[in-house]
Amino acid sequence: MKKNDSGKEKNVTKQQKKIQDAFKYKREVEIIPAKVSDLSIQKKRVAAYCRVSTYAEAQSGSFELQIQSYKEKILLNPEWEFVGIYADRGASGTTIKKREHFNRMLNDCRLNKIDLIIVKSISRFSRNVLDFISITRELKALPNPVGVFIEDLNINTLDTTSETSLLMLSIVAQAESEQKSEAITWSIIERFKKGLPIIPTHNFLGFTKDRFGKVVIEESEAEIVRFIYKNFLEGVRAVDIASLLNEANIPTASGNQWKSSSIYRVLRNEKYFGLVIMQKTYTVDCFSHKKKINRGEKPKYLLRNGLPAIVSEDEWNLVQELLLNPRKGFKKKAVKNIEKPRIFVSTIKSGVFKGFIVIDAKWSKEDVAEVLSKGEHQQ
């Protein structure tokens, strides 16, 4: 028994006694040094990861500069072996799902092809805290641990003291993404409030944009929209309308075969009589990028006569009645006597060849001449 400062007795446990004896009666302990790994003698296999979030011309220079700088940096280091540059362009840093080269790089790490990854900053690697921590921990736990060197911080994730600092900095990167997402959402909503909709037309049947960016009717496609509405109102089933269009070799706006579902999408789209409903969907968060149908969770904004009408409002309303109650008032019409559209002229709506006509190889010389003459008159 041993007395403490207050005069009370205190029990000494067996573990305490052992430790006290180990320091009091020193023992001879032979230390066997750790084996030096062959990997430390070999050159370190190094890769670099680069990313920009858009295809904008302003970012293309930054993207190429990253690629060339890292390639030169790795090749000039005599202790490094160049594995490659993994680069994603037009990819968000808030998720890894759509980053093809990033995922290929991680897989090469798992296959023991990489020892070190160089990246410009945490935000280039990931703006999602959970992704950043889980990935760096996975790489650290591999049989051959892989480090991520954050260049602007001069930190390697394999350093034992780095994780706390990197966690705090990745939280900052995530917060920046959240603020940027909120700012973009705010600007879009303000546009909606002022009656300025965002209407992409590259996959929108019946519409295109002129050289000033104004949405205008693409007449050859508008004829297909009118064909769909006219025949549906006359009692032709959606599946039969789809078959007629496929037989006439007329593709959907995205270049696919027509189905009943694609016919119904045209029939339900209020934009065809000029009504634009904004914020029909909304993004849940900036990390999952998941979109949900707006069922009243967010405000909607209606702009009447926001587009030139292809069909009348009365036609559209009548179609909606039939869609709700298809047996009401109309007999199903046989399709054998329906005249199919003879020539469909597809025009490229975006990119370098915007405005060019796509010539169908099945057209006769007369058909081509007819199409070209129509194009000249339209100019």
Side-chain angles (χ1 to χ4, degrees):
M1 296 287 184
K2 182 181 177 183
K3 286 188 178 181
N4 57 20
D5 294 339
S6 59
K8 294 182 180 178
E9 292 184 345
K10 177 176 147 185
N11 291 326
V12 178
T13 66
K14 289 181 179 179
Q15 288 298 324
Q16 288 175 313
K17 189 72 170 67
K18 281 183 181 179
I19 292 168
Q20 289 170 2
D21 288 346
F23 277 86
K24 187 175 181 181
Y25 308 106
K26 291 187 177 180
R27 301 174 185 177
E28 291 293 329
V29 178
E30 183 182 353
I31 298 173
I32 303 171
K35 290 183 180 178
V36 178
S37 172
D38 291 339
L39 288 173
S40 63
I41 300 170
Q42 294 175 357
K43 285 186 175 183
K44 197 179 287 290
R45 298 165 298 174
V46 181
Y49 179 70
C50 309
R51 179 187 66 79
V52 290
S53 55
T54 71
Y55 287 96
E57 182 67 26
Q59 284 199 316
S60 63
S62 170
F63 186 66
E64 189 60 32
L65 184 63
Q66 287 180 60
I67 292 171
Q68 296 303 327
S69 296
Y70 284 130
K71 186 175 181 180
E72 183 181 62
K73 184 172 186 173
I74 296 169
L75 288 171
L76 288 176
N77 192 323
E79 296 180 359
W80 289 354
E81 178 186 327
F82 179 67
V83 175
I85 305 291
Y86 299 82
D88 286 304
R89 191 174 178 187
S92 169
T94 55
T95 179
I96 65 170
K97 289 180 182 177
K98 295 182 180 179
R99 287 199 270 164
E100 180 187 347
H101 293 272
F102 185 84
N103 286 297
R104 184 165 60 84
M105 177 183 70
L106 295 183
N107 194 50
D108 285 346
C109 290
R110 296 176 188 118
L111 294 172
N112 192 22
K113 294 181 179 180
I114 300 171
D115 299 316
L116 181 69
I117 298 165
I118 302 176
V119 68
K120 184 179 178 182
S121 63
I122 286 177
S123 60
R124 287 282 186 267
F125 195 78
S126 177
R127 285 185 177 273
N128 185 318
V129 175
L130 291 177
D131 282 346
F132 181 82
I133 296 300
S134 62
I135 290 166
T136 53
R137 282 180 177 173
E138 182 197 349
L139 295 177
K140 193 185 290 188
L142 291 172
N144 174 44
V146 178
V148 179
F149 181 71
I150 314 295
E151 193 176 38
D152 64 346
L153 301 172
N154 197 32
I155 291 178
N156 189 325
T157 56
L158 291 183
D159 294 342
T160 53
T161 58
S162 69
E163 186 162 305
T164 303
S165 301
L166 289 171
L167 175 59
M168 298 303 295
L169 291 164
S170 64
I171 289 171
V172 172
Q174 177 171 312
E176 286 175 355
S177 281
E178 289 170 341
Q179 288 173 354
K180 190 183 291 184
S181 176
E182 285 175 11
I184 292 169
T185 301
W186 179 86
S187 66
I188 290 171
I189 296 302
E190 289 303 307
R191 283 178 60 95
F192 289 168
K193 287 178 181 178
K194 298 297 181 184
L196 298 170
I198 299 168
I199 304 174
T201 58
H202 60 282
N203 280 338
F204 190 7
L205 187 73
F207 294 101
T208 188
K209 288 181 180 176
D210 63 16
R211 60 197 180 99
F212 302 108
K214 183 182 177 183
V215 178
V216 294
I217 291 175
E218 177 63 56
E219 194 53 46
S220 63
E221 294 182 359
E223 283 301 314
I224 306 305
V225 175
R226 295 186 191 107
F227 175 85
I228 292 169
Y229 274 79
K230 176 179 178 292
N231 284 287
F232 188 77
L233 286 171
E234 290 179 355
V236 182
R237 298 180 306 166
V239 64
D240 293 328
I241 296 173
S243 296
L244 287 166
L245 292 172
N246 290 331
E247 286 169 17
N249 295 313
I250 295 172
T252 64
S254 55
N256 299 317
Q257 289 266 306
W258 286 93
K259 297 178 182 177
S260 298
S261 57
S262 45
I263 297 294
Y264 285 130
R265 278 196 292 273
V266 171
L267 293 171
R268 290 192 174 103
N269 195 331
E270 69 286 341
K271 289 186 179 71
Y272 287 120
F273 78 89
L275 178 66
V276 180
I277 302 175
M278 294 167 273
Q279 199 160 232
K280 290 165 75 173
T281 62
Y282 65 94
T283 305
V284 177
D285 59 63
C286 66
F287 302 110
S288 66
H289 297 283
K290 184 179 178 182
K291 288 200 171 188
K292 289 184 74 174
I293 296 172
N294 185 1
R295 303 187 189 279
E297 296 91 344
K298 305 279 183 183
K300 291 181 183 177
Y301 306 88
L302 273 66
L303 178 64
R304 300 190 182 279
N305 302 314
L307 286 173
I310 292 176
V311 299
S312 71
E313 186 172 354
D314 289 341
E315 285 176 305
W316 191 84
N317 286 330
L318 192 52
V319 163
Q320 305 319 300
E321 279 185 47
L322 286 173
L323 290 170
L324 289 172
N325 188 3
R327 295 182 181 180
K328 182 182 177 182
F330 288 90
K331 293 181 180 179
K332 296 301 173 192
K333 184 178 177 181
V335 297
K336 60 182 179 181
N337 297 323
I338 296 174
E339 185 179 349
K340 291 177 282 190
R342 193 171 71 85
I343 299 176
F344 171 67
V345 183
S346 177
T347 305
I348 298 171
K349 295 182 178 181
S350 60
V352 178
F353 296 104
K354 182 180 178 180
F356 280 71
I357 293 171
V358 180
I359 302 294
D360 193 324
K362 295 177 183 176
W363 289 350
S364 64
K365 289 182 180 178
E366 291 77 14
D367 291 336
V368 173
E370 182 186 339
V371 168
L372 293 177
S373 66
K374 284 181 180 178
E376 287 173 2
H377 292 315
Q378 287 174 357
Q379 289 174 1

